[in-house]
Amino acid sequence: MAQFALTTSAALLPFNRGAKQWPKLFPGLSKRYGTDLALFTSFRKKGVGFVASGTTGWSGGVAELSEGETAPQSYVWPDKKQPRVCILGGGFGGLYTALRLESLVWPDDKKPQVLLVDQSERFVFKPMLYELLSGEVDAWEIAPRFSDLLANTSVQFFQDRVKVLHPTDHLGINGRSGSNCGGTVHLESGLLIEYDWLVLALGAESKLDVVPGASESALPFSILEDAQKVDNKLRRLERSNFGKFSPIRVAVVGCGYSGVELAATVAERLQDRGIVQAINVETTICPTAQPGNREAALKVLSSRKVQLLLGYFVRCIQRVDNVEASEMSTSGIAAEDDHEKYILELQPANRGLQIQILEADLVLWTVGSKPLLPELEPSGKPNELPLNARGQAETDETLRVKGHPRIFALGDSAALRDSNGRLLPATAQVAFQQADFAGWNLWAAINDRPLLPFRFQNLGEMMTLGRNDAAISPSFIEGLTLEGPIGHTARKIAYLIRLPTDQHRLKVGISWLTKSAIDSVASLQSTLTKVLSGS
């Protein structure tokens, strides 16, 4: 019997009204599988093409499979006349741009067909990943599926990886703004997408290759899978160390916002069962933070006995075997993979400090990131997009990539400077605001209207410091910092408002209210029990 291989990164898409068109495209298919078919697999003699219809709101949108084994599969847009907008990346920049386009009022002949591509099936609200470790939120609350978020829109979604970009929109070669092709996107599944307008919002990935041993030994904390790996590792360490006197040792590399939030959350979770050490090359934590936030964080870290190693950088990380755990494993006692320990060599960044050697059961990496754009350029034409030294696309003030009037870039993919010439930080707040402008400027470009210059408005800074603890410094009241339970509540309300859709906000709001009510009742019962036992 012939063996077949599936293209696992193929586009897996929601399937509803477009299913009515499948009997016309594939006769006999509905008789065998019914009109609720969510997936169609097309077999060839040499392999399998995996295809799905992105029909959320449209009737059609079928990725055609060519007979030739090496020929690319060309995606057929449902309408040949409507503008075609392809958005790469489903983070704050990409998803919110798609939703902004959906919310705008369009002339009948100008409403664009929008296709969103992301390698994951879920949108991740990254500022709340820490709450997964503390158990405050469930995964579905901060990582809903794109298919659920886009169910009531005309936006199509492909779960796939971008392989190569081929822009053709060099200045001066196009005619009317809504008529000519702007280029093509080649996906790893083999699908070829021709677009009129492109949005680059691919984000960035953790940069672990700067220190020997970091890629093999450290865990990043950037995406949902990272948070789940860290949570699973902590659970295994907690289980294997139960009843022992040796504490769980966790090293957090980096003391920016992410490192401090992670150190505070892990220290609260482990309490007296663990030792958390935070390493930073700077001589202070969160060097760019508001003073109120920094002071609140220092107070919390001190109360949880987090050891700060400031003025050091990690020279290398080595993985070693825990002899005791290895003996347990060879004697038949399951030790899973927790017999591994790590040795970190710390080099002083300033004079007067000595080299430090740390031992850790878990190394968490929060330093550095690299945009994904450089990996997507064609090998024969490596300079088609103007990229800076960090790999971000240089844009003008309207978020259009310089020299490419049909490409917009935002978030980690964009190198945009403020009025003082400084690069805007790659934060969720910046990407969230840029998405609003990108959606509007796409509307303006398609309708031959003037584009608006992007102006970032710093609304303040927020950081979680554990369960029922956070710090907020709003920009509209100078010198004010909300911390503790008040800051925690304000932060959750602010993020609830920023969740992607009204329907998801409602479900999450009800869930959080329910949890809060349960926690309040449990706290009241505990207080009453103490009072009664004392009397």
Side-chain angles (χ1 to χ4, degrees), residues 200 373 385-388 391-395 401-402 409 412-416:
L200 300 175
L373 280 181
L385 293 176
L387 304 181
N388 65 5
Q392 299 169 303
E394 294 281 358
T395 67
V401 176
K402 293 179 179 178
D412 294 285
S413 297
L416 184 62

Side-chain angles (χ1 to χ4, degrees), residues 302-320:
S302 176
S303 68
R304 294 175 190 166
K305 301 178 181 178
V306 174
Q307 300 176 10
L308 296 177
L309 297 166
L310 305 177
Y312 288 94
F313 64 88
V314 180
R315 184 175 182 181
C316 66
I317 305 175
Q318 292 181 327
R319 182 168 55 188
V320 296

Side-chain angles (χ1 to χ4, degrees), residues 3-165:
Q3 293 183 349
F4 297 95
L6 288 177
T7 304
T8 56
S9 60
L12 305 179
L13 308 169
F15 196 92
N16 45 33
R17 284 181 288 178
K20 299 177 182 178
Q21 303 297 324
W22 280 76
K24 300 177 183 178
L25 297 170
F26 303 98
L29 191 64
S30 61
K31 293 181 181 179
R32 182 174 181 182
Y33 296 104
T35 57
D36 290 330
L37 182 69
L39 200 60
F40 173 68
T41 308
S42 176
F43 291 87
R44 298 194 298 260
K45 289 184 178 180
K46 295 182 180 180
V48 172
F50 205 35
V51 123
S53 175
T55 52
T56 308
W58 281 331
S59 57
V62 179
E64 293 185 340
L65 295 176
S66 56
E67 292 296 331
E69 190 175 355
T70 58
Q73 309 163 16
S74 296
Y75 173 70
V76 179
W77 292 85
D79 193 302
K80 295 181 179 180
K81 297 181 180 179
Q82 302 292 94
R84 303 165 298 178
V85 177
C86 182
I87 301 176
L88 304 181
F92 280 99
L95 175 63
Y96 284 68
T97 296
L99 295 174
R100 177 62 169 156
L101 289 171
E102 182 72 13
S103 68
L104 294 171
V105 178
W106 296 87
D108 292 338
D109 61 335
K110 294 291 186 70
K111 182 174 174 59
Q113 306 165 85
V114 180
L115 177 62
L116 178 66
V117 180
D118 194 271
Q119 64 185 12
S120 173
E121 67 171 346
R122 295 175 181 269
F123 163 76
V124 181
F125 201 93
K126 290 187 178 181
M128 299 197 74
L129 279 176
Y130 312 95
E131 277 83 341
L132 282 179
L133 298 184
S134 64
E136 289 184 77
V137 301
D138 297 319
W140 70 267
E141 296 171 344
I142 64 166
R145 288 184 172 85
F146 286 109
S147 56
D148 295 332
L149 295 175
L150 301 174
N152 298 318
T153 72
S154 60
V155 178
Q156 292 186 303
F157 171 65
F158 279 5
Q159 183 185 348
D160 209 333
R161 290 177 179 267
V162 183
K163 186 177 181 181
V164 181
L165 300 179

Side-chain angles (χ1 to χ4, degrees), residues 217 317-323 325-326 337-344 358-361:
S217 304
I317 305 175
Q318 292 181 327
R319 182 168 55 188
V320 296
D321 288 334
N322 183 327
V323 177
S326 299
D337 64 345
D338 293 320
H339 62 276
E340 295 175 341
K341 286 187 177 293
Y342 306 95
I343 302 298
L344 291 82
L358 302 184
E359 181 181 288
D361 299 294

Side-chain angles (χ1 to χ4, degrees), residues 16 60 78 114 170 188 198 216 238 266 310 327 360 369 417 439 461 463 487:
N16 45 33
V114 180
H170 303 296
E188 282 193 358
L198 182 68
E216 301 80 14
E238 288 166 335
V266 173
L310 305 177
E327 291 176 351
S369 63
R417 299 181 182 275
E461 300 173 356
M463 62 190 309

